[in-house]
Amino acid sequence: MARTKEFDPDAALQSALELFWRRGYEATSMADLVDHLGIGRASIYATFGNKHELYLKALDRYGETQDPPLLDTLSKPGPALPAVRQMVRRFADESTVEARRERGCFITNTAAELGPHDPEAARRVELSWSHVETLTHAALVRAQGQGELPPDRDPRALARMLLVLMQGMRVVGKTSQNPARVRDAAEQALTLLD
């Protein structure tokens, strides 16, 4: 007879996500995971696989929790341009608020740490970025159709520029002691939408 799990796999995955997000992949050992999750190494392997597989599952979970609010913001009926502005300003605020700034963005952290040499992690980063770009592009096309965005603007190019800006804000915000640097960049970028 199979033994029942003595822990909640969903809570353990969330706990692993928090640890990886705070410390990164390389700086988190299996011993750290065992201590932090409060479950045995064998249970971690049996439930999630090795450390790399657990990291990828945590990255997937992060996307599941971060994407819905973005979709809600950008797909509200009515004017679309205020939603795009709200998204960019939210990224700027999150990049400069002390509690969030230290951890940064789990996707951005993964891109910098693992992206260049880990195809599975890089694929998940690319999926996340493509999702943000697609949502932003759709909102900008809607804005253009509603007369909010000038007809000579390229919604796809603007969506890509905003994606790169927002990821850059995450990187700069994580290390800079000057929040104005990030906020000024965001506001300057938003003038391109006028």
Side-chain angles (χ1 to χ4, degrees), residues 42-172:
S43 294
I44 292 173
Y45 284 124
T47 306
F48 302 109
N50 62 30
K51 175 181 144 180
H52 186 255
E53 291 168 320
L54 176 54
Y55 185 88
L56 295 176
K57 287 177 174 118
L59 198 55
D60 291 341
R61 164 64 62 84
Y62 181 82
E64 291 166 6
T65 60
Q66 298 300 305
D67 288 347
L70 184 61
L71 177 60
D72 288 347
T73 298
L74 294 177
S75 63
K76 288 179 185 170
L81 218 47
V84 172
R85 285 188 171 94
Q86 178 186 350
M87 173 191 67
V88 172
R89 288 179 177 129
R90 189 184 97 208
F91 269 72
D93 289 344
E94 289 175 357
S95 297
T96 56
V97 171
E98 194 64 32
R100 176 79 185 232
R101 187 179 74 81
E102 290 179 13
R103 287 190 306 175
C105 167
F106 194 32
I107 296 293
T108 307
N109 296 349
T110 299
E113 181 181 11
L114 299 179
H117 61 289
D118 184 330
E120 283 298 309
R123 185 178 68 77
R124 283 167 169 81
V125 167
E126 184 57 38
L127 284 172
S128 176
W129 287 347
S130 292
H131 185 69
V132 172
E133 180 184 320
T134 299
L135 291 174
T136 306
H137 175 246
L140 291 169
V141 166
R142 201 170 88 237
Q144 200 166 48
Q146 296 173 167
E148 302 168 68
L149 184 67
D152 65 335
R153 302 296 160 76
D154 179 349
R156 174 67 67 196
L158 283 171
R160 288 179 173 157
M161 184 273 304
L162 291 174
L163 170 69
V164 171
L165 169 79
M166 292 184 297
Q167 292 306 306
M169 289 189 308
R170 298 283 200 197
V171 172
V172 172

